[in-house]
Amino acid sequence: RMVAHFDVYVLGGYGRVQLASGTEPTMTAGAGVGIWWTPHLTTRFEMRYERYKAHYFAAESKPMDLTVGSMQMGWML
């Protein structure tokens, strides 16, 4: 009988993003769940939010608000 194991996690980060106009500070936050189906097969579902400012012209900038959802599958040896 198979029993799936899971873990729930949160993530956060701060750094700099390289743009054509230079570097800008960026922050990210998110959460996800990982499911272990077998001792070797795992799946992760994650939602992440990222924010930084993009400069289009010398005096004009626009905040970039990005939300990314992802699913990964992995095989552990």
Side-chain angles (χ1 to χ4, degrees):
R1 182 173 174 206
M2 182 187 82
V3 177
H5 300 278
F6 68 95
D7 57 51
V8 177
Y9 62 92
V10 295
L11 63 97
Y14 182 83
R16 299 193 68 79
V17 62
Q18 180 67 43
L19 304 171
S21 60
T23 61
E24 282 293 317
T26 183
M27 60 78 66
T28 187
V33 61
I35 303 169
W36 292 86
W37 301 104
T38 71
H40 300 286
L41 180 64
T42 181
T43 305
R44 286 175 40 147
F45 300 95
E46 181 177 293
M47 287 296 286
R48 183 170 37 98
Y49 168 77
E50 185 174 354
R51 181 182 181 100
Y52 61 89
K53 283 188 180 179
H55 296 276
Y56 292 105
F57 299 102
E60 185 179 339
S61 66
K62 179 181 177 183
M64 301 298 290
D65 295 302
L66 308 169
T67 303
V68 178
S70 63
M71 184 203 74
Q72 301 100 28
M73 292 187 75
W75 183 261
M76 301 282 288
L77 298 176

